[in-house]
Amino acid sequence: FVACFPAAEASEDVTRSLLLPVQSGHGELILVVDDEESICFSMREYFSQHGFKVDTAREIEEAEGLIKATDYRVIIQDLRLGMTRDPDGIEIIKLVHKRNPDTRIVVLTSYGSPEAEAEARRAGADAFLHKPKPLSQVAQVVQGLIESPRTHTASTKPVSA
């Protein structure tokens, strides 16, 4: 049995049982952008318990405001927010990449097609994960991105894998 995202009413014991023995976040700033409240809640709880400072946004306008006001180390985001058919998360990736190219971006979505992944990576996403994904696996990806900062020079753009 693997719990991917505990519901908002999940007990503290369930949340603690999902903890991954990753290194402490040392106060690193993370933004979680997802229209599902339970995902924002569980990610905030999980990463906060690992020493990260976590902001959440459920709408694109809220996410844009936070991104313009704060330099995040990592952003975990969905591609589609609300009932829209358009992958508005691509616009968030472009905004983040333009504002702070060193911010690492993890896309976590149910709308994952090879075309969507290619578009997200072209826009600047560092990782593309499909929901549902255990929190421990999301944390491993985040930790890996923090431990291997993007390397680029003024004459070259970051390369997507």
PDB file of all heavy atoms in Angstrom, residues 86-125:
ATOM      1  N   ASP A  86      -6.715  24.323 -21.707  1.00  0.00           N
ATOM      2  CA  ASP A  86      -5.369  24.765 -22.061  1.00  0.00           C
ATOM      3  C   ASP A  86      -4.400  24.468 -20.930  1.00  0.00           C
ATOM      4  O   ASP A  86      -4.723  24.635 -19.764  1.00  0.00           O
ATOM      5  CB  ASP A  86      -5.366  26.277 -22.341  1.00  0.00           C
ATOM      6  CG  ASP A  86      -6.246  26.639 -23.521  1.00  0.00           C
ATOM      7  OD1 ASP A  86      -6.279  25.851 -24.482  1.00  0.00           O
ATOM      8  OD2 ASP A  86      -6.895  27.694 -23.481  1.00  0.00           O
ATOM      9  N   PRO A  87      -3.190  24.054 -21.265  1.00  0.00           N
ATOM     10  CA  PRO A  87      -2.181  23.814 -20.229  1.00  0.00           C
ATOM     11  C   PRO A  87      -1.577  25.133 -19.743  1.00  0.00           C
ATOM     12  O   PRO A  87      -0.480  25.510 -20.130  1.00  0.00           O
ATOM     13  CB  PRO A  87      -1.164  22.925 -20.944  1.00  0.00           C
ATOM     14  CG  PRO A  87      -1.289  23.296 -22.385  1.00  0.00           C
ATOM     15  CD  PRO A  87      -2.721  23.697 -22.595  1.00  0.00           C
ATOM     16  N   ASP A  88      -2.334  25.871 -18.889  1.00  0.00           N
ATOM     17  CA  ASP A  88      -1.875  27.181 -18.429  1.00  0.00           C
ATOM     18  C   ASP A  88      -0.605  27.092 -17.588  1.00  0.00           C
ATOM     19  O   ASP A  88       0.085  28.081 -17.389  1.00  0.00           O
ATOM     20  CB  ASP A  88      -2.967  27.943 -17.686  1.00  0.00           C
ATOM     21  CG  ASP A  88      -3.780  27.082 -16.740  1.00  0.00           C
ATOM     22  OD1 ASP A  88      -3.365  25.948 -16.438  1.00  0.00           O
ATOM     23  OD2 ASP A  88      -4.836  27.541 -16.301  1.00  0.00           O
ATOM     24  N   GLY A  89      -0.258  25.891 -17.148  1.00  0.00           N
ATOM     25  CA  GLY A  89       0.987  25.712 -16.415  1.00  0.00           C
ATOM     26  C   GLY A  89       2.216  26.029 -17.252  1.00  0.00           C
ATOM     27  O   GLY A  89       3.266  26.391 -16.722  1.00  0.00           O
ATOM     28  N   ILE A  90       2.103  25.934 -18.572  1.00  0.00           N
ATOM     29  CA  ILE A  90       3.219  26.282 -19.460  1.00  0.00           C
ATOM     30  C   ILE A  90       3.558  27.763 -19.290  1.00  0.00           C
ATOM     31  O   ILE A  90       4.728  28.141 -19.289  1.00  0.00           O
ATOM     32  CB  ILE A  90       2.881  25.967 -20.937  1.00  0.00           C
ATOM     33  CG1 ILE A  90       2.683  24.466 -21.134  1.00  0.00           C
ATOM     34  CG2 ILE A  90       3.945  26.530 -21.877  1.00  0.00           C
ATOM     35  CD1 ILE A  90       3.921  23.612 -20.931  1.00  0.00           C
ATOM     36  N   GLU A  91       2.550  28.596 -19.115  1.00  0.00           N
ATOM     37  CA  GLU A  91       2.790  30.033 -18.914  1.00  0.00           C
ATOM     38  C   GLU A  91       3.536  30.290 -17.609  1.00  0.00           C
ATOM     39  O   GLU A  91       4.386  31.167 -17.528  1.00  0.00           O
ATOM     40  CB  GLU A  91       1.469  30.818 -18.944  1.00  0.00           C
ATOM     41  CG  GLU A  91       0.775  30.773 -20.288  1.00  0.00           C
ATOM     42  CD  GLU A  91       1.685  31.188 -21.441  1.00  0.00           C
ATOM     43  OE1 GLU A  91       2.380  32.226 -21.330  1.00  0.00           O
ATOM     44  OE2 GLU A  91       1.713  30.460 -22.456  1.00  0.00           O
ATOM     45  N   ILE A  92       3.222  29.513 -16.591  1.00  0.00           N
ATOM     46  CA  ILE A  92       3.935  29.640 -15.316  1.00  0.00           C
ATOM     47  C   ILE A  92       5.401  29.258 -15.506  1.00  0.00           C
ATOM     48  O   ILE A  92       6.305  29.946 -15.024  1.00  0.00           O
ATOM     49  CB  ILE A  92       3.273  28.761 -14.228  1.00  0.00           C
ATOM     50  CG1 ILE A  92       1.855  29.258 -13.929  1.00  0.00           C
ATOM     51  CG2 ILE A  92       4.126  28.739 -12.959  1.00  0.00           C
ATOM     52  CD1 ILE A  92       1.058  28.344 -13.027  1.00  0.00           C
ATOM     53  N   ILE A  93       5.649  28.163 -16.227  1.00  0.00           N
ATOM     54  CA  ILE A  93       7.030  27.738 -16.475  1.00  0.00           C
ATOM     55  C   ILE A  93       7.804  28.847 -17.183  1.00  0.00           C
ATOM     56  O   ILE A  93       8.926  29.178 -16.805  1.00  0.00           O
ATOM     57  CB  ILE A  93       7.068  26.436 -17.315  1.00  0.00           C
ATOM     58  CG1 ILE A  93       6.444  25.278 -16.542  1.00  0.00           C
ATOM     59  CG2 ILE A  93       8.508  26.103 -17.724  1.00  0.00           C
ATOM     60  CD1 ILE A  93       6.207  24.035 -17.384  1.00  0.00           C
ATOM     61  N   LYS A  94       7.201  29.432 -18.204  1.00  0.00           N
ATOM     62  CA  LYS A  94       7.877  30.500 -18.962  1.00  0.00           C
ATOM     63  C   LYS A  94       8.160  31.705 -18.072  1.00  0.00           C
ATOM     64  O   LYS A  94       9.241  32.296 -18.144  1.00  0.00           O
ATOM     65  CB  LYS A  94       7.029  30.910 -20.163  1.00  0.00           C
ATOM     66  CG  LYS A  94       6.980  29.850 -21.243  1.00  0.00           C
ATOM     67  CD  LYS A  94       6.068  30.283 -22.380  1.00  0.00           C
ATOM     68  CE  LYS A  94       5.988  29.220 -23.459  1.00  0.00           C
ATOM     69  NZ  LYS A  94       5.039  29.592 -24.533  1.00  0.00           N
ATOM     70  N   LEU A  95       7.193  32.084 -17.228  1.00  0.00           N
ATOM     71  CA  LEU A  95       7.379  33.220 -16.326  1.00  0.00           C
ATOM     72  C   LEU A  95       8.528  32.941 -15.358  1.00  0.00           C
ATOM     73  O   LEU A  95       9.400  33.793 -15.157  1.00  0.00           O
ATOM     74  CB  LEU A  95       6.093  33.507 -15.548  1.00  0.00           C
ATOM     75  CG  LEU A  95       6.193  34.554 -14.435  1.00  0.00           C
ATOM     76  CD1 LEU A  95       6.488  35.933 -15.029  1.00  0.00           C
ATOM     77  CD2 LEU A  95       4.917  34.583 -13.615  1.00  0.00           C
ATOM     78  N   VAL A  96       8.543  31.762 -14.767  1.00  0.00           N
ATOM     79  CA  VAL A  96       9.588  31.407 -13.805  1.00  0.00           C
ATOM     80  C   VAL A  96      10.949  31.402 -14.492  1.00  0.00           C
ATOM     81  O   VAL A  96      11.920  31.969 -13.991  1.00  0.00           O
ATOM     82  CB  VAL A  96       9.318  30.015 -13.179  1.00  0.00           C
ATOM     83  CG1 VAL A  96      10.499  29.537 -12.361  1.00  0.00           C
ATOM     84  CG2 VAL A  96       8.052  30.062 -12.337  1.00  0.00           C
ATOM     85  N   HIS A  97      11.013  30.779 -15.651  1.00  0.00           N
ATOM     86  CA  HIS A  97      12.279  30.661 -16.371  1.00  0.00           C
ATOM     87  C   HIS A  97      12.821  32.038 -16.763  1.00  0.00           C
ATOM     88  O   HIS A  97      14.029  32.278 -16.697  1.00  0.00           O
ATOM     89  CB  HIS A  97      12.090  29.781 -17.605  1.00  0.00           C
ATOM     90  CG  HIS A  97      13.366  29.284 -18.176  1.00  0.00           C
ATOM     91  ND1 HIS A  97      14.214  28.445 -17.496  1.00  0.00           N
ATOM     92  CD2 HIS A  97      13.957  29.533 -19.362  1.00  0.00           C
ATOM     93  CE1 HIS A  97      15.263  28.193 -18.245  1.00  0.00           C
ATOM     94  NE2 HIS A  97      15.136  28.836 -19.386  1.00  0.00           N
ATOM     95  N   LYS A  98      11.922  32.946 -17.132  1.00  0.00           N
ATOM     96  CA  LYS A  98      12.327  34.310 -17.503  1.00  0.00           C
ATOM     97  C   LYS A  98      12.773  35.103 -16.272  1.00  0.00           C
ATOM     98  O   LYS A  98      13.773  35.809 -16.303  1.00  0.00           O
ATOM     99  CB  LYS A  98      11.150  35.019 -18.186  1.00  0.00           C
ATOM    100  CG  LYS A  98      11.447  36.427 -18.606  1.00  0.00           C
ATOM    101  CD  LYS A  98      10.227  37.043 -19.289  1.00  0.00           C
ATOM    102  CE  LYS A  98      10.488  38.492 -19.637  1.00  0.00           C
ATOM    103  NZ  LYS A  98       9.290  39.113 -20.215  1.00  0.00           N
ATOM    104  N   ARG A  99      12.025  34.973 -15.182  1.00  0.00           N
ATOM    105  CA  ARG A  99      12.307  35.753 -13.975  1.00  0.00           C
ATOM    106  C   ARG A  99      13.539  35.249 -13.222  1.00  0.00           C
ATOM    107  O   ARG A  99      14.343  36.031 -12.753  1.00  0.00           O
ATOM    108  CB  ARG A  99      11.084  35.728 -13.058  1.00  0.00           C
ATOM    109  CG  ARG A  99      11.290  36.456 -11.768  1.00  0.00           C
ATOM    110  CD  ARG A  99      10.007  36.665 -11.024  1.00  0.00           C
ATOM    111  NE  ARG A  99      10.225  37.026  -9.652  1.00  0.00           N
ATOM    112  CZ  ARG A  99      10.802  38.118  -9.232  1.00  0.00           C
ATOM    113  NH1 ARG A  99      11.265  38.985 -10.096  1.00  0.00           N
ATOM    114  NH2 ARG A  99      10.949  38.367  -7.948  1.00  0.00           N
ATOM    115  N   ASN A 100      13.640  33.939 -13.063  1.00  0.00           N
ATOM    116  CA  ASN A 100      14.770  33.362 -12.332  1.00  0.00           C
ATOM    117  C   ASN A 100      15.138  32.024 -12.960  1.00  0.00           C
ATOM    118  O   ASN A 100      14.606  30.983 -12.570  1.00  0.00           O
ATOM    119  CB  ASN A 100      14.441  33.183 -10.850  1.00  0.00           C
ATOM    120  CG  ASN A 100      15.645  32.688 -10.062  1.00  0.00           C
ATOM    121  OD1 ASN A 100      16.704  32.406 -10.630  1.00  0.00           O
ATOM    122  ND2 ASN A 100      15.485  32.577  -8.772  1.00  0.00           N
ATOM    123  N   PRO A 101      16.058  32.032 -13.933  1.00  0.00           N
ATOM    124  CA  PRO A 101      16.403  30.795 -14.639  1.00  0.00           C
ATOM    125  C   PRO A 101      17.012  29.711 -13.755  1.00  0.00           C
ATOM    126  O   PRO A 101      17.085  28.561 -14.163  1.00  0.00           O
ATOM    127  CB  PRO A 101      17.413  31.237 -15.700  1.00  0.00           C
ATOM    128  CG  PRO A 101      17.543  32.697 -15.602  1.00  0.00           C
ATOM    129  CD  PRO A 101      16.760  33.189 -14.435  1.00  0.00           C
ATOM    130  N   ASP A 102      17.416  30.050 -12.530  1.00  0.00           N
ATOM    131  CA  ASP A 102      17.990  29.049 -11.634  1.00  0.00           C
ATOM    132  C   ASP A 102      16.939  28.287 -10.834  1.00  0.00           C
ATOM    133  O   ASP A 102      17.254  27.291 -10.189  1.00  0.00           O
ATOM    134  CB  ASP A 102      18.999  29.698 -10.682  1.00  0.00           C
ATOM    135  CG  ASP A 102      20.230  30.178 -11.429  1.00  0.00           C
ATOM    136  OD1 ASP A 102      20.619  29.518 -12.413  1.00  0.00           O
ATOM    137  OD2 ASP A 102      20.793  31.211 -11.043  1.00  0.00           O
ATOM    138  N   THR A 103      15.691  28.744 -10.854  1.00  0.00           N
ATOM    139  CA  THR A 103      14.617  28.021 -10.169  1.00  0.00           C
ATOM    140  C   THR A 103      14.362  26.716 -10.906  1.00  0.00           C
ATOM    141  O   THR A 103      14.239  26.698 -12.127  1.00  0.00           O
ATOM    142  CB  THR A 103      13.322  28.862 -10.136  1.00  0.00           C
ATOM    143  OG1 THR A 103      13.550  30.037  -9.377  1.00  0.00           O
ATOM    144  CG2 THR A 103      12.168  28.081  -9.511  1.00  0.00           C
ATOM    145  N   ARG A 104      14.311  25.631 -10.158  1.00  0.00           N
ATOM    146  CA  ARG A 104      14.060  24.317 -10.748  1.00  0.00           C
ATOM    147  C   ARG A 104      12.557  24.071 -10.772  1.00  0.00           C
ATOM    148  O   ARG A 104      11.853  24.412  -9.823  1.00  0.00           O
ATOM    149  CB  ARG A 104      14.767  23.223  -9.950  1.00  0.00           C
ATOM    150  CG  ARG A 104      16.262  23.467  -9.727  1.00  0.00           C
ATOM    151  CD  ARG A 104      17.051  23.820 -11.000  1.00  0.00           C
ATOM    152  NE  ARG A 104      17.116  22.753 -11.966  1.00  0.00           N
ATOM    153  CZ  ARG A 104      18.080  21.842 -12.020  1.00  0.00           C
ATOM    154  NH1 ARG A 104      19.074  21.883 -11.166  1.00  0.00           N
ATOM    155  NH2 ARG A 104      18.044  20.900 -12.947  1.00  0.00           N
ATOM    156  N   ILE A 105      12.068  23.478 -11.852  1.00  0.00           N
ATOM    157  CA  ILE A 105      10.629  23.306 -12.054  1.00  0.00           C
ATOM    158  C   ILE A 105      10.294  21.829 -12.240  1.00  0.00           C
ATOM    159  O   ILE A 105      10.858  21.161 -13.109  1.00  0.00           O
ATOM    160  CB  ILE A 105      10.145  24.104 -13.279  1.00  0.00           C
ATOM    161  CG1 ILE A 105      10.487  25.586 -13.104  1.00  0.00           C
ATOM    162  CG2 ILE A 105       8.646  23.891 -13.494  1.00  0.00           C
ATOM    163  CD1 ILE A 105      10.341  26.395 -14.365  1.00  0.00           C
ATOM    164  N   VAL A 106       9.362  21.349 -11.404  1.00  0.00           N
ATOM    165  CA  VAL A 106       8.868  19.979 -11.490  1.00  0.00           C
ATOM    166  C   VAL A 106       7.403  20.045 -11.894  1.00  0.00           C
ATOM    167  O   VAL A 106       6.594  20.657 -11.200  1.00  0.00           O
ATOM    168  CB  VAL A 106       8.996  19.242 -10.133  1.00  0.00           C
ATOM    169  CG1 VAL A 106       8.408  17.838 -10.231  1.00  0.00           C
ATOM    170  CG2 VAL A 106      10.440  19.208  -9.668  1.00  0.00           C
ATOM    171  N   VAL A 107       7.068  19.443 -13.020  1.00  0.00           N
ATOM    172  CA  VAL A 107       5.671  19.343 -13.443  1.00  0.00           C
ATOM    173  C   VAL A 107       5.132  18.030 -12.897  1.00  0.00           C
ATOM    174  O   VAL A 107       5.741  16.974 -13.076  1.00  0.00           O
ATOM    175  CB  VAL A 107       5.548  19.391 -14.981  1.00  0.00           C
ATOM    176  CG1 VAL A 107       4.119  19.110 -15.413  1.00  0.00           C
ATOM    177  CG2 VAL A 107       6.020  20.742 -15.514  1.00  0.00           C
ATOM    178  N   LEU A 108       4.000  18.114 -12.205  1.00  0.00           N
ATOM    179  CA  LEU A 108       3.314  16.939 -11.647  1.00  0.00           C
ATOM    180  C   LEU A 108       1.876  17.009 -12.139  1.00  0.00           C
ATOM    181  O   LEU A 108       1.106  17.859 -11.684  1.00  0.00           O
ATOM    182  CB  LEU A 108       3.372  16.965 -10.115  1.00  0.00           C
ATOM    183  CG  LEU A 108       2.704  15.814  -9.383  1.00  0.00           C
ATOM    184  CD1 LEU A 108       3.383  14.485  -9.699  1.00  0.00           C
ATOM    185  CD2 LEU A 108       2.712  16.065  -7.883  1.00  0.00           C
ATOM    186  N   THR A 109       1.528  16.159 -13.099  1.00  0.00           N
ATOM    187  CA  THR A 109       0.237  16.318 -13.752  1.00  0.00           C
ATOM    188  C   THR A 109      -0.407  14.990 -14.131  1.00  0.00           C
ATOM    189  O   THR A 109       0.283  13.978 -14.294  1.00  0.00           O
ATOM    190  CB  THR A 109       0.389  17.194 -15.020  1.00  0.00           C
ATOM    191  OG1 THR A 109      -0.885  17.498 -15.554  1.00  0.00           O
ATOM    192  CG2 THR A 109       1.260  16.523 -16.063  1.00  0.00           C
ATOM    193  N   SER A 110      -1.715  15.021 -14.275  1.00  0.00           N
ATOM    194  CA  SER A 110      -2.463  13.875 -14.789  1.00  0.00           C
ATOM    195  C   SER A 110      -2.587  13.953 -16.301  1.00  0.00           C
ATOM    196  O   SER A 110      -3.039  13.015 -16.940  1.00  0.00           O
ATOM    197  CB  SER A 110      -3.883  13.854 -14.201  1.00  0.00           C
ATOM    198  OG  SER A 110      -3.823  13.723 -12.812  1.00  0.00           O
ATOM    199  N   TYR A 111      -2.224  15.105 -16.864  1.00  0.00           N
ATOM    200  CA  TYR A 111      -2.405  15.355 -18.290  1.00  0.00           C
ATOM    201  C   TYR A 111      -1.107  15.161 -19.046  1.00  0.00           C
ATOM    202  O   TYR A 111      -0.726  15.964 -19.876  1.00  0.00           O
ATOM    203  CB  TYR A 111      -2.933  16.775 -18.502  1.00  0.00           C
ATOM    204  CG  TYR A 111      -4.183  17.025 -17.716  1.00  0.00           C
ATOM    205  CD1 TYR A 111      -4.143  17.732 -16.521  1.00  0.00           C
ATOM    206  CD2 TYR A 111      -5.403  16.528 -18.145  1.00  0.00           C
ATOM    207  CE1 TYR A 111      -5.285  17.948 -15.777  1.00  0.00           C
ATOM    208  CE2 TYR A 111      -6.553  16.728 -17.406  1.00  0.00           C
ATOM    209  CZ  TYR A 111      -6.492  17.440 -16.229  1.00  0.00           C
ATOM    210  OH  TYR A 111      -7.620  17.642 -15.503  1.00  0.00           O
ATOM    211  N   GLY A 112      -0.414  14.095 -18.737  1.00  0.00           N
ATOM    212  CA  GLY A 112       0.908  13.901 -19.306  1.00  0.00           C
ATOM    213  C   GLY A 112       0.898  13.118 -20.600  1.00  0.00           C
ATOM    214  O   GLY A 112       0.690  11.925 -20.595  1.00  0.00           O
ATOM    215  N   SER A 113       1.118  13.812 -21.691  1.00  0.00           N
ATOM    216  CA  SER A 113       1.329  13.158 -22.972  1.00  0.00           C
ATOM    217  C   SER A 113       2.764  13.459 -23.390  1.00  0.00           C
ATOM    218  O   SER A 113       3.376  14.390 -22.865  1.00  0.00           O
ATOM    219  CB  SER A 113       0.359  13.719 -24.021  1.00  0.00           C
ATOM    220  OG  SER A 113       0.665  15.076 -24.292  1.00  0.00           O
ATOM    221  N   PRO A 114       3.316  12.702 -24.322  1.00  0.00           N
ATOM    222  CA  PRO A 114       4.664  13.017 -24.799  1.00  0.00           C
ATOM    223  C   PRO A 114       4.765  14.445 -25.348  1.00  0.00           C
ATOM    224  O   PRO A 114       5.776  15.121 -25.149  1.00  0.00           O
ATOM    225  CB  PRO A 114       4.913  11.977 -25.900  1.00  0.00           C
ATOM    226  CG  PRO A 114       4.033  10.817 -25.534  1.00  0.00           C
ATOM    227  CD  PRO A 114       2.813  11.442 -24.910  1.00  0.00           C
ATOM    228  N   GLU A 115       3.702  14.915 -25.992  1.00  0.00           N
ATOM    229  CA  GLU A 115       3.697  16.277 -26.538  1.00  0.00           C
ATOM    230  C   GLU A 115       3.715  17.316 -25.416  1.00  0.00           C
ATOM    231  O   GLU A 115       4.436  18.308 -25.487  1.00  0.00           O
ATOM    232  CB  GLU A 115       2.472  16.505 -27.437  1.00  0.00           C
ATOM    233  CG  GLU A 115       2.431  15.631 -28.669  1.00  0.00           C
ATOM    234  CD  GLU A 115       1.931  14.201 -28.396  1.00  0.00           C
ATOM    235  OE1 GLU A 115       1.292  13.937 -27.338  1.00  0.00           O
ATOM    236  OE2 GLU A 115       2.213  13.334 -29.241  1.00  0.00           O
ATOM    237  N   ALA A 116       2.901  17.074 -24.370  1.00  0.00           N
ATOM    238  CA  ALA A 116       2.855  18.003 -23.229  1.00  0.00           C
ATOM    239  C   ALA A 116       4.202  18.038 -22.518  1.00  0.00           C
ATOM    240  O   ALA A 116       4.683  19.110 -22.124  1.00  0.00           O
ATOM    241  CB  ALA A 116       1.748  17.604 -22.254  1.00  0.00           C
ATOM    242  N   GLU A 117       4.825  16.877 -22.361  1.00  0.00           N
ATOM    243  CA  GLU A 117       6.133  16.825 -21.711  1.00  0.00           C
ATOM    244  C   GLU A 117       7.178  17.577 -22.533  1.00  0.00           C
ATOM    245  O   GLU A 117       7.966  18.352 -21.989  1.00  0.00           O
ATOM    246  CB  GLU A 117       6.580  15.385 -21.494  1.00  0.00           C
ATOM    247  CG  GLU A 117       7.928  15.303 -20.814  1.00  0.00           C
ATOM    248  CD  GLU A 117       8.332  13.896 -20.404  1.00  0.00           C
ATOM    249  OE1 GLU A 117       7.543  12.950 -20.594  1.00  0.00           O
ATOM    250  OE2 GLU A 117       9.449  13.755 -19.876  1.00  0.00           O
ATOM    251  N   ALA A 118       7.169  17.378 -23.840  1.00  0.00           N
ATOM    252  CA  ALA A 118       8.133  18.071 -24.706  1.00  0.00           C
ATOM    253  C   ALA A 118       7.938  19.582 -24.630  1.00  0.00           C
ATOM    254  O   ALA A 118       8.912  20.343 -24.530  1.00  0.00           O
ATOM    255  CB  ALA A 118       7.991  17.585 -26.148  1.00  0.00           C
ATOM    256  N   GLU A 119       6.678  20.027 -24.638  1.00  0.00           N
ATOM    257  CA  GLU A 119       6.404  21.458 -24.553  1.00  0.00           C
ATOM    258  C   GLU A 119       6.844  22.028 -23.203  1.00  0.00           C
ATOM    259  O   GLU A 119       7.440  23.102 -23.135  1.00  0.00           O
ATOM    260  CB  GLU A 119       4.915  21.728 -24.776  1.00  0.00           C
ATOM    261  CG  GLU A 119       4.585  23.207 -24.806  1.00  0.00           C
ATOM    262  CD  GLU A 119       3.123  23.498 -25.069  1.00  0.00           C
ATOM    263  OE1 GLU A 119       2.308  22.553 -25.173  1.00  0.00           O
ATOM    264  OE2 GLU A 119       2.790  24.695 -25.178  1.00  0.00           O
ATOM    265  N   ALA A 120       6.581  21.299 -22.128  1.00  0.00           N
ATOM    266  CA  ALA A 120       6.979  21.755 -20.791  1.00  0.00           C
ATOM    267  C   ALA A 120       8.503  21.848 -20.690  1.00  0.00           C
ATOM    268  O   ALA A 120       9.046  22.814 -20.149  1.00  0.00           O
ATOM    269  CB  ALA A 120       6.426  20.812 -19.727  1.00  0.00           C
ATOM    270  N   ARG A 121       9.197  20.874 -21.226  1.00  0.00           N
ATOM    271  CA  ARG A 121      10.667  20.897 -21.174  1.00  0.00           C
ATOM    272  C   ARG A 121      11.238  22.030 -22.027  1.00  0.00           C
ATOM    273  O   ARG A 121      12.205  22.672 -21.625  1.00  0.00           O
ATOM    274  CB  ARG A 121      11.236  19.540 -21.576  1.00  0.00           C
ATOM    275  CG  ARG A 121      10.989  18.487 -20.488  1.00  0.00           C
ATOM    276  CD  ARG A 121      11.769  17.218 -20.770  1.00  0.00           C
ATOM    277  NE  ARG A 121      11.551  16.213 -19.763  1.00  0.00           N
ATOM    278  CZ  ARG A 121      12.207  16.130 -18.611  1.00  0.00           C
ATOM    279  NH1 ARG A 121      13.102  17.031 -18.302  1.00  0.00           N
ATOM    280  NH2 ARG A 121      11.948  15.163 -17.759  1.00  0.00           N
ATOM    281  N   ARG A 122      10.641  22.271 -23.193  1.00  0.00           N
ATOM    282  CA  ARG A 122      11.088  23.404 -24.028  1.00  0.00           C
ATOM    283  C   ARG A 122      10.896  24.720 -23.296  1.00  0.00           C
ATOM    284  O   ARG A 122      11.698  25.645 -23.434  1.00  0.00           O
ATOM    285  CB  ARG A 122      10.328  23.430 -25.357  1.00  0.00           C
ATOM    286  CG  ARG A 122      10.853  22.471 -26.400  1.00  0.00           C
ATOM    287  CD  ARG A 122      10.273  22.756 -27.783  1.00  0.00           C
ATOM    288  NE  ARG A 122       8.819  22.719 -27.816  1.00  0.00           N
ATOM    289  CZ  ARG A 122       8.089  21.629 -28.020  1.00  0.00           C
ATOM    290  NH1 ARG A 122       8.684  20.454 -28.200  1.00  0.00           N
ATOM    291  NH2 ARG A 122       6.777  21.692 -28.050  1.00  0.00           N
ATOM    292  N   ALA A 123       9.831  24.811 -22.502  1.00  0.00           N
ATOM    293  CA  ALA A 123       9.546  26.050 -21.762  1.00  0.00           C
ATOM    294  C   ALA A 123      10.475  26.222 -20.563  1.00  0.00           C
ATOM    295  O   ALA A 123      10.623  27.324 -20.050  1.00  0.00           O
ATOM    296  CB  ALA A 123       8.088  26.060 -21.300  1.00  0.00           C
ATOM    297  N   GLY A 124      11.120  25.126 -20.104  1.00  0.00           N
ATOM    298  CA  GLY A 124      12.069  25.240 -18.997  1.00  0.00           C
ATOM    299  C   GLY A 124      11.865  24.280 -17.842  1.00  0.00           C
ATOM    300  O   GLY A 124      12.567  24.378 -16.834  1.00  0.00           O
ATOM    301  N   ALA A 125      10.930  23.322 -17.953  1.00  0.00           N
ATOM    302  CA  ALA A 125      10.718  22.357 -16.877  1.00  0.00           C
ATOM    303  C   ALA A 125      11.916  21.419 -16.769  1.00  0.00           C
ATOM    304  O   ALA A 125      12.488  21.014 -17.773  1.00  0.00           O
ATOM    305  CB  ALA A 125       9.449  21.548 -17.123  1.00  0.00           C
TER     306      ALA A 125
END
